[in-house]
Amino acid sequence: MNKSRRTYAEITFLLIVAAGLIVLTIFLSALQNGYAIQRQSRNSSDKLEVARHRISGYAAEVDLDIETYRLFCQSKLDVIAFFLDENPDYGDRLGVLASQWGLENVYLFSGDGQVVYSSTSSVPDDVYSLAEDMNPITSNGRYYLASRLADGRVVAGSINVQNEIAHISEMRSLPFALSDIKVGAGGFIFCVNTASGIIEYYPSISMTGISASESGIPESALEDGFSGYITLDGQRHYAMTVDIGGDLALVAVVPEDEMSQSVRPAVTLCVAAFAIVMLLITLYASMLKRQDEASDADEKRVVHLGNGLYFNKTLAGKVKNIVVMGVVVMFMLAYYSQSLVILSRQFVLSQSKAEEIVDILAKNDERLARILKEYSDEYAQRAYNIAFTINEDPRLLSDDKLETLCERAQVTSIYAFDENGKTDATSSPFKDFALSDDPTSQSYPFWQVVKGYQELLVQDARLDDTAQHNYFQYIGVRRMDKKGMIQLCLSPKRIQTAVRTTDTDYVLGNIAAENDGFIFAVDEETGKFISYPNEKYISRDAREYGLGESALTDGYYGYQTVDARHLFVVSTEYDGAIVCLATPTEAIFDHRFEVALIVTLASFIMSLMLMSILTLSRKVEKAGDGKKTQGETQAKFFQMVMPGGTSKWVQSAFSRWSTVNSAWGSLSPEMKLQKVIFLIIGALAIIVTCAVTFARGKLETWPLIDFILDGRWDKTPDIFSFTYIIIIVTRIFVYTWIARRVIVFLTKTFGARSETIGRLVDNFIKYVALIAVLFYALVIFGIDTTALMTSAGILTLIVGLGAQSLISDILAGIFIVFEGEFRVGDIVTIDGWSGTVMEIGIRTTKIASRGQDIKILNNSSISGVVNMTKQYSYASVTVGIDYGESLERVEGILAQELPDIKKRLPAIIDGPFYKGVSQLADSSVNITVVAQCRENDRAQLARDLNREIKLMFDRRGINIPFPQVVVNRPRE
């Protein structure tokens, strides 16, 4: 193949790779976008369902709260009616009693509808109708209610309920239900009236109340079940719509940029890995092609497939291995990069959701505190009211009348304590109850009221220990008739109704988590579930169901197995509880395997295309002439035939310890490929090292990296540990490489002593780096190295005497491999035994002689190794000639005959060469002839050269003398 054709093939390789990159990028982008839309559709659907549930649920809660509050207000009129039943002639002070009970105005009607008493100068018409039909009326922020007395009279009154109406309006409002629902990390939900096209709710006030069409929202986007892209405020969003009835539609939107953040990195990493692998295969194929053109192999390597098409099976065999390895590496890189990108995206979502949960719980606590205060104040006022009522009519201090008063006032029980803390009267079945003298008792603080030190004491409402979690509350107020206390025991249904939507379990159950996740809470002190989607787990120890201790800490991120479910858990501490956001790993990593498989399949197809271009041709390529220059005869890398018949590329022994870099032209294709891979890995290592060193804390879109580098994850074998080890190994690699380059520079600059010290330091750095990486990896994987070393020390002590040689063999084998004294395929001489290294095992080394005999040596006994691994050796023979022979004649004959000997002996690579007189022996002049050959052929070639020289000397009449002894007799 001429140069132009070779260049054309290489350009074809590159064009195929470039086309593959473009196609793969387009296909992966479309695929990942499809998966992202599919995932976001599921998440948006979950958020819309929560929004729908909130709107309908809050409306139902409001209706229940309104009814409960109406009954609470009705109880005021009922108590006044009961009091008037007991005191029929009380009419003149009715206004005072009504004012005490929180009525703005009060009216008393006779049985025939005549006004008996009015706190105002005129009676509104609505009150007359109220007295007739007893139906409550709401007007101008007031409730108008009535209660009928036993004698047929009716007492009516008005109560200011503006605060309650404001509370109801808040709970009925769309912002209350939708404002804290996030879609993804930066999305939200807004509401549109489909009949009028007006936006009823939008996070931005400027958008609320305007027409949807004016804001750029197409009419089709308001139809139930819509999903697609719309433009809001000049930015594209992915939207999903659901009709909730009442001419209202909810639209969940998430910015397109946020969705692309999960697509672009994944596509970029996969395409980059694909490009690197394909370019390496292309480079290797090109180098193989060049080598094949220069080789002198026979044409048996080419198979004719017909129709003028030829297949180079030798090249195919070589490329096949690198293609298989490349495809495997491609799958591993694609799978890992997908995992890292997906997990990084989940990390961002989890951080955002954790912040959202804390914000929701904080707002919920504020609302709960406000509700409890409002209701506690109301019930405290009710305690004053009852105390005032009893003071107005002491006859009510009887058990039966207190029971009626409890029923009318909607309290659980009433206690009247005297100045000694004992019960005077009560509606409770516990008639003889007395305040405790134990400071830890729940009733002890009420002594302050009984003794007159305190006017009022309102204990916080508490949850009882029943499964219903009912609230109970005690309120005490000083008696007005004498020293003592009137105490109310409340089961405040109004509080239970109002705070039902503030219950932790209710709140957490109404927060939708991405990717089929859910939220649960664990008591920080006891470790028991406070909230869980499955109610049977509540009040049970979370650790019994697999939750680890590490997950019960604030700021935890990691993997946990809870109730046999593998979850990615993010923990946040809030008010004595650990709130956990749990996402099933199968939902996080869905489609990861499919994407990796698709990328791998694409790389496999591309590799086959490259192989076909490389190995198929229209004619048999002419082999090279096989000529080699003198400089090429001792290459640093060469092929060696193993005793088993396989061929391997090996490096000459001398070049392994040389500080001079090998020339590119002296490398085999495999060695060149290794060097390129090393350079790529080195470049990536430098980039990673610089990134984690200088960009740490600045990677806003990759906070996962900071999390990994901070070591805030469980020390177990997972992606966090694996990624951390990769980062650490790359940093150690870079630092070690820099240090070793400096040492090489210094050893070249200074003398021999620096060479000695430099090589010693270089070996020391290699050992320290290897040991550091090994032990650090063990620590990262959660293995206690201290305990491991201790155990190893004890084990060594136990088996020391019996296994001393075994340990020595293992250690010696490790050092042989690490130092590179010899490798598999090397030709060595050990203790006079020469052969090829077949295997370097844990305990022994196996060496095959030229006769296929195998010698097995214990590693610890190997010493005095002569490594003869080089591409070509010299077979040397020494022959003696008679002193009487003409040396000039013999040298002339050798010059004529030696070229013919080369033709007869194919093992000769170069030569034979006459090297002159090596010795003037006792009976002969010894001359030396050498020939270049492969090391494996050296011994046999020496024997063949002896034979050829003997035959040549016989033909030319050159005498080879035998040893002679000359005896001189002295003269007598």
Side-chain angles (χ1 to χ4, degrees):
M1 179 183 287
N2 57 36
K3 184 176 181 181
S4 61
R5 291 184 60 193
R6 185 170 60 232
T7 304
Y8 174 77
E10 293 171 351
I11 293 175
T12 304
F13 286 166
L14 294 176
L15 289 177
I16 291 176
V17 173
L21 286 175
I22 295 173
V23 172
L24 182 64
T25 302
I26 296 173
F27 180 74
L28 271 185
S29 298
L31 184 68
Q32 291 281 35
N33 276 317
Y35 287 151
I37 290 174
Q38 180 181 344
R39 188 182 300 112
Q40 188 57 52
S41 297
R42 186 171 65 246
N43 292 335
S44 295
S45 179
D46 292 342
K47 297 299 178 73
L48 289 170
E49 183 59 32
V50 167
R52 183 210 299 266
H53 181 266
R54 281 193 182 187
I55 292 173
S56 60
Y58 288 167
E61 293 293 340
V62 167
D63 292 339
L64 181 61
D65 193 27
I66 291 173
E67 179 62 20
T68 304
Y69 185 64
R70 189 194 66 77
L71 294 174
F72 180 80
C73 294
Q74 182 65 47
S75 68
K76 297 181 179 183
L77 274 297
D78 291 343
V79 170
I80 293 175
F82 170 67
F83 183 83
L84 292 177
D85 282 336
E86 297 294 324
N87 301 275
D89 301 328
Y90 192 77
D92 293 341
R93 287 180 53 80
L94 182 58
V96 177
L97 181 63
S99 177
Q100 180 67 35
W101 279 87
L103 275 64
E104 282 190 336
N105 298 302
V106 65
Y107 310 94
L108 184 61
F109 296 89
S110 63
D112 56 2
Q114 299 299 315
V115 177
V116 177
Y117 176 85
S118 174
S119 62
T120 60
S121 58
S122 61
V123 179
D125 293 338
D126 290 339
V127 177
Y128 281 107
S129 63
L130 176 65
E132 293 177 3
D133 57 25
M134 307 296 291
N135 291 327
I137 299 171
T138 304
S139 177
N140 297 324
R142 291 173 176 80
Y143 274 165
Y144 289 89
L145 305 108
S147 181
R148 192 176 299 279
L149 279 65
D151 58 6
R153 292 182 295 169
V154 174
V155 60
S158 64
I159 301 174
N160 190 321
V161 292
Q162 290 185 352
N163 289 338
E164 186 65 20
I165 291 175
H167 168 66
I168 291 171
S169 299
E170 177 191 10
M171 290 194 64
R172 283 190 184 276
S173 68
L174 291 172
F176 183 79
L178 304 178
S179 62
D180 55 6
I181 297 180
K182 288 186 177 180
V183 183
F188 52 88
I189 293 177
F190 65 93
C191 182
V192 181
N193 188 308
T194 55
S196 64
I198 300 299
I199 298 176
E200 298 284 348
Y201 165 75
Y202 198 90
S204 174
I205 299 177
S206 61
M207 293 280 287
T208 303
I210 68 173
S211 171
S213 59
E214 292 178 7
S215 63
I217 302 174
E219 187 176 344
S220 60
L222 303 180
E223 297 177 0
D224 184 43
F226 169 83
S227 62
Y229 285 96
I230 63 174
T231 301
L232 296 172
D233 293 334
Q235 184 180 11
R236 276 171 57 85
H237 290 71
Y238 177 76
M240 176 172 281
T241 305
V242 62
D243 191 333
I244 61 173
D247 294 330
L248 293 179
L250 297 178
V251 184
V253 295
V254 63
E256 183 184 27
D257 289 344
E258 180 179 322
M259 294 180 62
S260 63
Q261 286 178 1
S262 62
V263 174
R264 283 196 297 262
V267 173
T268 301
L269 290 176
C270 286
V271 171
F274 177 85
I276 292 174
V277 172
M278 289 300 100
L279 288 176
L280 288 175
I281 293 177
T282 301
L283 176 63
Y284 181 63
S286 177
M287 291 187 296
L288 278 179
K289 195 72 173 177
R290 290 172 181 269
Q291 183 194 47
D292 185 63
E293 294 168 9
S295 68
D296 53 359
D298 57 37
E299 295 186 0
K300 292 182 181 180
R301 58 189 174 87
V302 178
V303 178
H304 186 207
L305 300 179
N307 296 324
L309 192 65
Y310 294 88
F311 172 68
N312 192 320
K313 61 181 181 180
T314 302
L315 290 181
K318 293 179 179 180
V319 177
K320 176 188 65 177
N321 296 331
I322 195 68
V323 167
V324 172
M325 185 173 65
V327 169
V328 172
V329 170
M330 187 69 252
F331 178 80
M332 295 172 62
L333 290 176
Y335 192 82
Y336 173 72
S337 62
Q338 285 285 308
S339 302
L340 196 61
V341 171
I342 292 173
L343 191 58
S344 180
R345 176 63 183 156
Q346 180 63 37
F347 191 86
V348 173
L349 290 176
S350 298
Q351 277 189 326
S352 175
K353 183 59 65 176
E355 294 171 0
E356 177 187 344
I357 292 171
V358 171
D359 185 55
I360 290 174
L361 291 176
K363 291 180 179 178
N364 181 70
D365 283 353
E366 292 177 3
R367 179 167 168 263
L368 176 62
R370 176 174 56 81
I371 292 173
L372 291 177
K373 184 179 184 306
E374 290 176 357
Y375 291 169
S376 294
D377 290 345
E378 288 183 1
Y379 280 109
Q381 185 61 43
R382 179 148 299 191
Y384 275 118
N385 297 344
I386 291 175
F388 177 82
T389 304
I390 291 174
N391 184 61
E392 290 294 300
D393 184 6
R395 294 176 303 162
L396 297 178
L397 280 174
S398 65
D399 293 350
D400 55 342
K401 287 184 171 30
L402 287 180
E403 289 181 15
T404 304
L405 187 58
C406 279
E407 181 182 348
R408 297 292 184 93
Q410 291 190 358
V411 297
T412 304
S413 58
I414 299 175
Y415 292 87
F417 290 96
D418 61 17
E419 60 185 355
N420 297 316
K422 294 182 179 179
T423 304
D424 274 349
T426 181
S427 63
S428 170
F430 304 103
K431 305 297 182 181
D432 298 324
F433 183 78
L435 298 180
S436 174
D437 293 327
D438 183 2
T440 62
S441 172
Q442 182 265 339
S443 66
Y444 181 81
F446 286 101
W447 278 110
Q448 299 295 315
V449 180
V450 170
K451 293 179 179 180
Y453 302 147
Q454 192 171 329
E455 185 73 20
L456 173 73
L457 176 59
V458 180
Q459 287 190 332
D460 292 336
R462 306 178 184 181
L463 286 170
D464 61 22
D465 295 330
T466 64
Q468 290 75 26
H469 297 291
N470 293 320
Y471 275 90
F472 68 95
Q473 186 174 28
Y474 288 96
I475 300 175
V477 63
R478 193 169 59 180
R479 290 176 64 167
M480 298 180 182
D481 56 337
K482 66 175 186 177
K483 287 185 176 182
M485 174 181 66
I486 299 297
Q487 185 187 64
L488 306 185
C489 178
L490 310 173
S491 179
K493 294 183 179 179
R494 283 196 61 222
I495 294 181
Q496 289 179 244
T497 302
V499 302
R500 185 172 299 143
T501 57
T502 65
D503 182 72
T504 301
D505 194 47
Y506 183 93
V507 172
L508 296 181
N510 279 276
I511 301 176
E514 279 73 18
N515 299 326
D516 301 329
F518 60 93
I519 303 166
F520 62 90
V522 180
D523 186 273
E524 190 172 13
E525 183 176 349
T526 64
K528 295 182 178 180
F529 285 115
I530 299 173
S531 170
Y532 200 84
N534 191 337
E535 294 183 356
K536 73 176 185 178
Y537 293 146
I538 296 177
S539 299
R540 297 187 179 183
D541 196 323
R543 289 160 293 198
E544 294 179 0
Y545 291 88
L547 192 67
E549 287 286 350
S550 57
L552 299 177
T553 56
D554 183 37
Y556 169 81
Y557 289 78
Y559 293 106
Q560 293 287 322
T561 301
V562 181
D563 195 25
R565 298 183 67 187
H566 195 51
L567 307 168
F568 178 69
V569 175
V570 178
S571 301
T572 303
E573 191 277 334
Y574 184 81
D575 195 23
I578 298 296
V579 181
C580 300
L581 171 62
T583 310
T585 54
E586 64 270 16
I588 297 176
F589 297 115
D590 60 339
H591 307 303
R592 171 182 57 174
F593 181 81
E594 292 92 327
V595 173
L597 197 61
I598 289 172
V599 176
T600 304
L601 181 62
S603 66
F604 178 68
I605 294 173
M606 187 69 63
S607 300
L608 291 181
M609 295 176 64
L610 295 175
M611 277 189 65
S612 64
I613 295 176
L614 175 70
T615 58
L616 298 177
S617 61
R618 284 294 179 181
K619 66 176 184 177
V620 180
E621 302 295 342
K622 185 177 181 181
D625 58 9
K627 295 181 180 179
K628 300 175 178 59
T629 64
Q630 185 66 24
E632 294 175 324
T633 59
Q634 289 296 338
K636 295 180 180 179
F637 302 96
F638 56 93
Q639 280 189 320
M640 178 173 288
V641 179
M642 302 292 291
T646 60
S647 178
K648 293 183 180 295
W649 281 93
V650 296
Q651 182 180 3
S652 65
F654 180 81
S655 65
R656 296 176 192 175
W657 292 279
S658 174
T659 58
V660 179
N661 292 328
S662 301
W664 179 261
S666 66
L667 303 178
S668 69
E670 289 79 7
M671 298 300 176
K672 291 178 181 178
L673 184 65
Q674 290 179 20
K675 194 165 187 176
V676 173
I677 292 174
F678 179 82
L679 291 175
I680 292 175
I681 293 175
L684 293 176
I686 292 174
I687 293 172
V688 170
T689 301
C690 292
V692 299
T693 302
F694 302 110
R696 185 174 180 180
K698 301 176 183 178
L699 301 173
E700 296 180 359
T701 58
W702 286 77
L704 179 65
I705 300 301
D706 285 337
F707 170 79
I708 292 174
L709 291 175
D710 290 338
R712 291 182 284 143
W713 30 267
D714 289 338
K715 301 302 185 289
T716 55
D718 55 26
I719 191 170
F720 299 130
S721 303
F722 184 67
T723 304
Y724 188 80
I725 289 174
I726 290 177
I727 294 173
I728 294 301
V729 168
T730 55
R731 296 176 76 172
I732 293 177
F733 170 84
V734 171
Y735 299 151
T736 303
W737 181 83
I738 293 174
R740 295 182 67 189
R741 293 306 95 194
V742 171
I743 291 172
V744 170
F745 173 77
L746 294 176
T747 55
K748 289 180 178 180
T749 304
F750 299 102
R753 184 172 183 180
S754 66
E755 179 83 14
T756 303
I757 298 175
R759 289 181 179 272
L760 179 63
V761 173
D762 183 59
N763 281 327
F764 177 76
I765 291 175
K766 287 193 298 183
Y767 279 109
V768 170
L770 178 65
I771 295 172
V773 168
L774 177 62
F775 274 82
Y776 208 77
L778 293 176
V779 172
I780 296 305
F781 284 142
I783 299 174
D784 188 351
T785 54
T786 302
L788 184 66
M789 294 298 293
T790 303
S791 301
I794 296 175
L795 181 63
T796 302
L797 182 63
I798 294 174
V799 302
L801 295 177
Q804 185 175 2
S805 60
L806 174 64
I807 295 173
S808 298
D809 290 337
I810 293 174
L811 292 176
I814 293 174
F815 281 103
I816 288 172
V817 173
F818 194 72
E819 290 284 356
E821 296 174 359
F822 53 84
R823 304 170 184 170
V824 172
D826 284 1
I827 300 173
V828 297
T829 298
I830 302 175
D831 293 335
W833 180 275
S834 297
T836 303
V837 179
M838 296 293 295
E839 177 185 308
I840 302 175
I842 294 178
R843 191 176 64 86
T844 61
T845 293
K846 299 176 179 64
I847 300 176
S849 69
R850 294 179 180 84
Q852 302 299 308
D853 297 322
I854 305 295
K855 183 164 186 176
I856 301 173
L857 302 170
N858 289 341
N859 291 333
S860 59
S861 65
I862 295 175
S863 62
V865 179
V866 178
N867 195 326
M868 299 177 293
T869 305
K870 52 186 179 294
Q871 185 174 14
Y872 302 124
S873 297
Y874 286 92
S876 176
V877 295
T878 299
V879 182
I881 61 174
D882 194 276
Y883 272 99
E885 288 287 349
S886 170
L887 184 61
E888 290 83 356
R889 174 176 174 268
V890 172
E891 290 175 343
I893 293 173
L894 289 175
Q896 296 173 9
E897 295 284 348
L898 289 182
D900 294 334
I901 293 177
K902 179 180 181 180
K903 296 177 182 178
R904 293 193 294 271
L905 300 179
I908 297 176
I909 302 297
D910 199 8
F913 304 106
Y914 166 65
K915 291 298 182 179
V917 178
S918 58
Q919 185 182 14
L920 298 176
D922 292 337
S923 57
S924 65
V925 176
N926 294 341
I927 60 175
T928 299
V929 175
V930 299
Q932 191 180 68
C933 63
R934 299 185 185 277
E935 173 62 28
N936 289 337
D937 299 331
R938 183 170 59 84
Q940 182 60 45
L941 181 59
R943 291 189 285 267
D944 292 341
L945 283 175
N946 282 327
R947 177 180 181 276
E948 291 292 333
I949 292 174
K950 174 64 171 67
L951 294 176
M952 178 188 66
F953 280 7
D954 290 344
R955 290 195 304 272
R956 295 300 186 108
I958 300 173
N959 185 35
I960 301 175
F962 50 85
Q964 301 179 18
V965 178
V966 178
V967 178
N968 293 322
R969 294 182 179 180
R971 294 178 180 179
E972 296 181 356

